[in-house]
Amino acid sequence: MTAELVRGQNHTLPQTRLEIRVSAGSPVVAGATLGDERGTVRGAEWIAHPASHRVPGLEVSRQAAADHRLAVDLDALPGSVHRVTVLLALPLGPGQPARFGAVAAPFVAVTGLDGTEIATFTLTGLDTESAVSALELYRRQGVWKVRAVGQGYAAGLAGMLADQGVAEAAEVAASIQEAVASGLARSVTPPPRTPDGERVRHPAGPPASGDGGPAAPAPPDPAPSDPAPARTETSGGPVDYAHPRRQTSAPPPPPPTAPPAAPGQPAQPVAGDATGWSMDERLYNQIWGMFEDLARAVAAYRSAVDFAESRMDQELDRALSDPRSRIGGAGDRAREEARAKHDELTGRAREALERDLAQLAAESAVVEPALPAAYAGWGNPVWHGYRVPMEIPMALRIGDLHLPEGIGLRIPLLVRLPLERGIWVDSGRTASEAAAATPGDRLRTLAMETAVALAARLLAVYPADEFSVHVIDPAGSAAGPLAPLVDAGVLAGPPAAGAEGVSSVLAHLTRRVDLVQMAIRAGASDALPPDLDTAEQLLIVNDFPHGFDDRAVTQLRYLADEGPSVGVHLLMVADREDTRAYGPVLDPLWRSLLRITPVADDHLADPWVGHAWTYEPLRAPQGSRVLEQVLALVAAARRAGYR
């Protein structure tokens, strides 16, 4: 029976191999410290955190996330360790909550390796604290117990570590937050949470349970709409800060579009099977639901496999340590039985995963043909009937994601519009097989082609004259990839070359950011200069930092930080190795951008369990001229003054 603990209460642990599961309303940092008899942490080597996620007997997550699983083996801890304290902290950075009182109360559960809950604790009553000691596992008279702590620290992670006796606690906390910031930079931003609940999910069969390993944790409420933003009208057009059609109230459930399934059979998937005010919003939420379902299904499978392997190792250790197993064939029989049990457990886990994958594949098969142009790949027939839209869509597809367990199942990667952060197309040589097999010059060309395709998609999904694209190409090396944009005449001006061109474009966009910010603060949008283009602006930067002096670098960082809130966005094409001369000065720039690659690379993480997902960019089918045809329609609409 699960013990539901309150602050200060303890409970005896029936086993020494455990999982600690954390669920929170927003991304949190999860870590743990090892303490001696007095609870003192003797050094940084006794702290498990994202930058050093393993210590003897303990493993934690490598990034901030809304859900965590911490693996604990109490028997593997050093003999001088008498206490394990589980820590939670809010990540630092723009847009992150500053106190636990502003987020949902975290929930912590101590479970067995099979997912059975032993003790749970909900951390209520937190307010100004940004870090908290959630619970502790402690050893008394040879018996391990768990205690609900819930001690918060307004001084943050540094204050909490100092309270546990960590020398140079501020430096250790800073290194942890630095690692977290790097992890958040590679994490896909989840949709905001809705007040009402989740999309409709159709069971694909009975869930795995028992010895098959832990089941996936229950998903959080999905995502809804932000408050409707203010729109400042000027003679030059609207100034947008957020999507104009997002609502504040709960959206309606999806209408019934399919007959109920026969008893014992999964329901047939349908497109738009999620909550939302429009079909586009329902499809958006459905795709994010599929993304989360796949992440959690694979997490459950991997956890079950880990459990099976751990159990087999324990049984083999017991068999080998028993002298009687050395007589006759007892040892061989014990090993065969352990391996047979392992194969049975992993087989059952694989069957459960295959059911989930089949259901998601069936759902994908009906969703893909129903997608609007903004969510569709270049090969979707919807592009053949393309017309310049009258309003901004909710999101844009910028690529596909997949995991090795479901290689044939691809999840569209949707980012919300207007863009909430810039994008960095990494033209450097990464660790992926595809990058290793591609010559450096070809990688740079593919990176620029990827950026051009993204710019074309953005131009195509915005109303005419509500999106402008600028290009900085200091050495003129991207003339080939830029040809579709240049030939169609959809750029705000010719690609800027040389130091003078770089300076001119950056000065123009920096002025725009300054003027719009001042108008917003003063509530005087009608005072904006009549020549100011209030459309959303995209700046494509190729071959950075070539052609950039210190002033230009400072302006670029300013645009990355301040631009998105007033409609100026960056699309960088760069190899980070080329900027090593700047040292850590540019680290905040890279972290502020969503990194994608021109070839397949497993660098993006989901916001739920932190899998490393393989990203693949969208490319037009071989021989297709769909991109050029779409850009021609955009250019024609602009010439006609169509809005």
Side-chain angles (χ1 to χ4, degrees), residues 156-440:
L157 193 56
M160 180 167 54
L161 294 176
D163 193 46
Q164 296 186 30
V166 178
E168 300 179 343
E171 290 78 2
V172 174
S175 69
I176 294 173
Q177 290 289 5
E178 176 71 18
V180 171
S182 299
L184 287 174
R186 60 183 285 270
S187 178
V188 178
T189 305
R193 299 166 70 84
T194 67
D196 70 318
E198 56 189 75
R199 77 188 184 103
V200 178
R201 287 179 170 84
H202 301 302
S209 60
D211 285 343
D221 295 337
S225 306
D226 291 342
R231 285 175 67 92
T232 304
E233 297 292 339
T234 72
S235 59
V239 178
D240 299 297
Y241 320 140
H243 195 280
R245 292 184 293 113
R246 291 177 187 157
Q247 308 290 327
T248 56
S249 56
T257 55
Q265 296 295 320
Q268 293 299 314
V270 293
D273 192 7
T275 58
W277 290 96
S278 65
M279 187 60 171
D280 284 5
E281 188 172 359
R282 292 199 295 271
L283 286 167
Y284 172 83
N285 287 333
Q286 184 173 16
I287 288 170
W288 271 92
M290 293 165 60
F291 187 10
E292 182 178 351
D293 286 352
L294 181 56
R296 295 189 183 280
V298 171
Y301 168 73
R302 292 179 180 177
S303 182
V305 170
D306 288 344
F307 167 72
E309 291 177 349
S310 173
R311 177 170 177 164
M312 181 179 70
D313 290 343
Q314 287 180 319
E315 292 177 351
L316 290 175
D317 288 344
R318 285 197 298 268
L320 293 174
S321 62
D322 187 353
R324 292 172 296 179
S325 66
R326 302 168 190 167
I327 303 173
D332 292 337
R333 286 194 299 274
R335 284 189 287 271
E336 291 174 2
E337 291 173 1
R339 292 193 178 95
K341 186 63 174 177
H342 169 271
D343 293 344
E344 178 189 355
L345 293 178
T346 55
R348 288 163 54 186
R350 187 71 203 184
E351 288 176 5
L353 176 64
E354 293 291 349
R355 286 196 300 268
D356 291 338
L357 292 177
Q359 183 69 10
L360 286 168
E363 189 170 7
S364 178
V366 298
V367 167
E368 280 285 353
L371 295 178
Y375 301 177
W378 287 115
N380 193 307
V382 70
W383 286 105
H384 297 298
Y386 168 77
R387 294 292 181 270
V388 176
M390 298 289 291
E391 58 184 12
I392 306 170
M394 189 171 191
L396 179 75
R397 185 174 183 168
I398 65 169
D400 292 333
L401 299 172
H402 63 82
L403 290 172
E405 287 84 354
I407 192 68
L409 180 60
R410 280 163 168 72
I411 303 295
L413 175 56
L414 301 181
V415 296
R416 284 152 42 102
L417 295 179
L419 294 173
E420 296 170 341
R421 61 194 291 200
I423 297 175
W424 164 31
V425 185
D426 190 350
S427 60
R429 188 172 300 283
T430 64
S432 71
E433 293 182 5
T438 307

Side-chain angles (χ1 to χ4, degrees), residues 388 487-490 630-641:
V388 176
D487 294 346
V490 293
V630 167
L631 288 176
L633 292 172
V634 171
R638 292 187 170 199
R639 288 193 297 269

Side-chain angles (χ1 to χ4, degrees), residues 420-517:
E420 296 170 341
R421 61 194 291 200
I423 297 175
W424 164 31
V425 185
D426 190 350
S427 60
R429 188 172 300 283
T430 64
S432 71
E433 293 182 5
T438 307
D441 290 344
R442 178 59 180 160
L443 268 179
R444 286 188 285 273
T445 300
L446 288 174
M448 197 60 195
E449 290 176 353
T450 301
V452 168
L454 281 177
R457 293 179 72 84
L458 284 163
L459 285 164
V461 302
Y462 269 79
D465 296 332
E466 287 195 21
F467 197 85
S468 296
V469 178
H470 308 261
V471 176
I472 290 178
D473 184 23
S477 59
L482 285 170
L485 298 177
V486 174
D487 294 346
V490 293
L491 294 179
E500 184 177 348
V502 171
S503 176
S504 175
V505 172
L506 291 177
H508 170 74
L509 292 176
T510 300
R511 172 179 176 269
R512 183 195 183 280
V513 171
D514 289 339
L515 289 174
V516 175
Q517 282 186 337

Side-chain angles (χ1 to χ4, degrees), residues 530-551:
D531 64 337
L532 186 77
D533 182 7
T534 56
E536 297 280 319
Q537 310 285 312
L538 178 72
L539 173 59
I540 303 176
V541 179
N542 181 45
D543 206 19
F544 178 77
H546 182 79
F548 280 71
D549 56 20
D550 290 345
R551 176 179 172 80

Side-chain angles (χ1 to χ4, degrees), residues 2-27:
T2 303
E4 298 181 1
L5 305 180
V6 296
R7 190 174 274 105
Q9 190 175 5
N10 60 40
H11 182 74
T12 301
L13 295 171
Q15 58 201 76
T16 57
R17 294 176 69 89
L18 308 163
E19 271 193 353
I20 298 173
R21 301 185 180 185
V22 178
S23 297
S26 63

